[in-house]
């Protein structure tokens, strides 16, 4: 069976242009490829949306277009992106084919008549008659509920243990489906231990939901995942046949620094094997230009010529000391990036750190305090002490006269001294 797997569409006000352009192109391609079913593995929205919002209307239109071509299953994603109940409206689309919303742990069969049939409990005891496809659905797990039940300290381990038991529990039904020649698929939204984020960072921690071994234990030919925005996959051959686990990744590029191509997965799933291919979408191009100090305009010109920023989304970042912050010519940088679709300038200011000299307040004279300060800061105290002596022994007129004489401006001494005297008096 040919299945289109989309994930992490993240429709929202700020992401609408990127999300709709990429998802629209993906739906076009899926229809052209004559897919027999479509699966959205979570985070269709970027946050809770009102029904009248442009992002909601655009998403509904694209899913309706997809459902006019084939049956669609939508999985509940991360609660912060897709608050519970957000997907309920998709059940009411009234397209040519049904849209099933999997917002609980369940198994769902796609019948030969093109309808979705959900299990009454968490799994089927027997494969439904006439099933063309059997899906085991594990939406986002509410870790807060688990934490409240088993205690916050034990929650991460408890989630992993329960998911391992759950996925292994799907295996008997999936084995029966395989024996009948019915393709099997697991769909979930979460983090695989050791997977890579969209920024190339390995996901390692005790709070991740899955290991590849746990996912393979469900004995499905395909495991379609959402949540991580980078496409990646794992395969194994064993008693359950050729199994493949894969993240589709996000449909578009929503942040700077994201690595890899964006797209959706075109799956071929049989009772014995699962395989997928990434189909790229027209995701925006992002470029990061980073300076360790003040931006060098000549180096920036070279980087622009090298990358070709026309139509790209460009971020220029730099780090400068607090006293140099005003030396950065933001206007000049913006002019150089005039051809970019977006120019984002991010300056990091390193604050001046002032440290109190221990014991300085206990010293008796100002001269002693100056010597202590000079010792701690590595400054030669002689010049400072000479100025301090002048301040204590001479008046303003004498100080100004000495300064002017030292730079060869004797002709101005009387006039300037008279002015200073009036000011200080």
């Amino acid at each position: 069976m040919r299945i289109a797997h989309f994930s992490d569409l993240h429709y929202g006000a700020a992401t609408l242009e990127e999300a709709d352009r990429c998802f629209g192109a993906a739906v076009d391609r899926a229809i052209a490829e004559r897919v027999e079913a479509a699966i959205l593995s979570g985070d269709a929205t970027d946050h809770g949306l009102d029904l009248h919002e442009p992002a909601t209307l655009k998403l509904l239109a694209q899913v309706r277009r997809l459902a006019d071509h084939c049956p669609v299953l939508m999985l509940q994603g991360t609660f912060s992106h897709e608050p519970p109940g957000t997907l309920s409206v998709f059940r009411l689309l009234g397209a040519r084919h049904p849209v099933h919303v999997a917002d609980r742990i369940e198994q769902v069969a796609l019948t030969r008549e093109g309808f979705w049939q959900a299990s009454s409990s968490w799994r089927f005891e027997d494969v439904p008659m006439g099933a063309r496809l059997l899906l085991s659905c594990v939406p986002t797990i509410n870790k807060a509920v688990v934490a409240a039940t088993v205690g916050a300290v034990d929650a991460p381990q408890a989630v992993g243990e329960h998911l391992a038991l759950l996925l292994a529990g799907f295996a008997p039904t999936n084995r029966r489906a395989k024996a009948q020649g019915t393709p099997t698929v697991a769909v979930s939204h979460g983090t695989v231990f050791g997977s890579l984020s969209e920024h190339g960072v390995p996901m390692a921690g005790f709070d991740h939901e899955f290991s590849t071994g746990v996912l393979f234990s469900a004995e499905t030919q395909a495991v379609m995942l959402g949540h991580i925005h980078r496409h990646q996959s794992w395969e194994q051959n064993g008693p359950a046949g050729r199994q493949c686990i894969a993240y589709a990744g996000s449909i578009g590029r929503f942040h700077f620094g994201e690595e890899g191509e964006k797209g959706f997965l075109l799956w071929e799933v049989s009772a014995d094997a699962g395989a997928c291919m990434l189909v790229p979408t027209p995701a925006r191009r992002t470029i990061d230009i980073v300076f360790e100090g003040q931006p060098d305009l000549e180096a920036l010109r070279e980087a622009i010529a090298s990358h070709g920023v026309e139509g790209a989304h460009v971020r220029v970042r730099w780090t400068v000391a607090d006293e140099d912050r005003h030396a950065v010519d933001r206007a000049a940088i913006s002019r150089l990036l005039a051809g970019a679709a977006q120019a984002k300038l991010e300056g990091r200011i390193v604050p001046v750190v002032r440290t109190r000299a221990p014991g300085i307040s206990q010293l008796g004279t100002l001269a002693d305090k100056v010597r202590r300060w000079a010792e701690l800061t590595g400054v030669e105290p002689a010049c400072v002490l000479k100025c301090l002596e002048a301040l204590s022994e001479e008046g303003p007129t004498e100080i100004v006269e000495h300064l002017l004489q030292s730079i060869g401006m004797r002709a101005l001494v009387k006039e300037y001294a008279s002015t200073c005297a009036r000011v200080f008096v």
Side-chain angles (χ1 to χ4, degrees):
M1 176 177 268
R2 178 167 287 192
I3 303 171
H5 171 203
F6 312 93
S7 194
D8 294 88
L9 310 181
H10 285 281
Y11 269 73
T15 58
L16 179 55
E17 190 274 334
E18 173 77 355
D20 199 54
R21 184 183 69 256
C22 293
F23 187 43
V27 171
D28 288 341
R29 179 66 183 274
I31 293 172
E33 293 287 344
R34 299 178 181 275
V35 299
E36 299 166 78
I39 293 173
L40 281 69
S41 57
D43 287 358
T45 61
D46 195 54
H47 51 77
L49 298 177
D50 292 326
L51 284 177
H52 66 273
E53 289 189 46
T56 306
L57 300 177
K58 291 281 190 180
L59 176 58
L60 285 166
Q62 296 290 10
V63 175
R64 169 63 188 262
R65 208 158 61 86
L66 189 59
D68 276 337
H69 171 75
C70 66
V72 176
L73 181 139
M74 301 181 72
L75 187 81
Q76 168 72 56
T78 309
F79 298 128
S80 58
H81 289 304
E82 214 165 55
T86 298
L87 300 180
S88 297
V89 67
F90 290 93
R91 295 186 175 104
L92 310 176
L93 275 180
R96 287 181 56 202
H97 299 277
V99 176
H100 179 78
V101 175
D103 52 8
R104 65 180 178 89
I105 296 171
E106 62 184 354
Q107 285 191 311
V108 183
L110 179 61
T111 68
R112 299 193 185 282
E113 294 76 24
F115 296 104
W116 296 108
Q117 180 180 340
S119 60
S120 57
S121 63
W122 66 279
R123 72 174 181 185
F124 291 116
E125 293 303 322
D126 294 301
V127 181
M129 292 290 294
R132 293 186 61 209
L133 178 68
L134 179 64
L135 295 99
S136 302
C137 302
V138 182
T140 293
I141 301 299
N142 191 330
K143 294 180 182 178
V145 173
V146 177
T149 304
V150 302
V153 174
D154 299 323
Q157 182 178 349
V159 168
E161 291 173 352
H162 285 300
L163 285 174
L165 292 171
L166 171 69
L167 287 159
F170 286 134
T173 309
N174 288 325
R175 282 197 293 269
R176 285 192 283 272
K178 175 181 169 63
Q180 297 175 16
T182 303
T184 57
V185 172
V187 187
S188 192
H189 193 89
T191 302
V192 174
F193 183 87
S195 59
L196 296 178
S197 74
E198 62 271 27
H199 297 101
V201 178
M203 305 300 288
F206 296 109
D207 61 341
H208 299 324
E209 293 88 346
F210 309 112
S211 68
T212 54
V214 165
L215 290 170
F216 282 133
S217 72
E219 298 190 27
T220 60
Q221 272 54 64
V223 181
M224 304 182 185
L225 297 177
H227 186 52
I228 300 296
H229 286 199
R230 181 187 181 123
H231 165 58
Q232 55 209 287
S233 62
W234 302 263
E235 296 182 0
Q236 79 168 16
N237 289 300
R242 183 166 179 265
Q243 296 176 275
C244 182
I245 302 168
Y247 281 104
S250 58
I251 199 71
R253 189 168 282 106
F254 300 116
H255 306 100
F256 284 95
E258 293 190 28
E259 300 176 357
E261 280 198 290
K262 300 297 181 179
F264 74 100
L265 295 182
L266 196 58
W267 285 84
E268 293 285 351
V269 185
S270 69
D272 300 307
C276 64
M277 174 185 73
L278 179 69
V279 181
T281 53
R284 67 182 186 174
R285 190 164 61 98
T286 60
I287 298 171
D288 267 314
I289 302 174
V290 180
F291 294 94
E292 291 303 322
Q294 184 177 331
D296 184 320
L297 295 183
E298 188 56 40
L300 181 58
R301 288 189 186 93
E302 293 175 3
I304 290 170
S306 172
H307 291 292
V309 300
E310 194 70 28
H313 294 249
V314 184
R315 179 173 65 176
V316 180
R317 311 178 87 178
W318 64 87
T319 302
V320 294
D322 190 43
E323 59 266 25
D324 298 325
R325 63 191 304 175
H326 300 296
V328 177
D329 193 341
R330 287 175 169 265
I333 296 172
S334 297
R335 285 194 297 271
L336 290 175
L337 298 173
Q342 178 195 19
K344 190 173 184 180
L345 309 185
E346 294 184 358
R348 178 173 175 267
I349 309 302
V350 179
V352 176
V353 179
R354 295 178 172 85
T355 306
R356 290 185 60 85
I360 196 170
S361 59
Q362 299 175 11
L363 297 176
T365 66
L366 183 56
D368 290 338
K369 293 178 181 179
V370 169
R371 290 189 188 92
R372 177 60 176 159
W373 167 82
E375 178 186 341
L376 293 171
T377 56
V379 174
E380 175 57 47
C383 181
V384 181
L385 290 170
K386 184 177 180 181
C387 293
L388 181 63
E389 182 181 355
L391 286 171
S392 61
E393 296 180 356
E394 299 178 359
T397 303
E398 290 81 1
I399 292 174
V400 171
E401 183 175 317
H402 290 157
L403 286 173
L404 292 173
Q405 287 175 348
S406 67
I407 57 175
M409 300 179 66
R410 297 177 186 276
L412 298 176
V413 169
K414 289 185 179 180
E415 181 180 352
Y416 194 76
S418 175
T419 302
C420 287
R422 287 196 301 272
V423 170
F424 281 97
V425 170

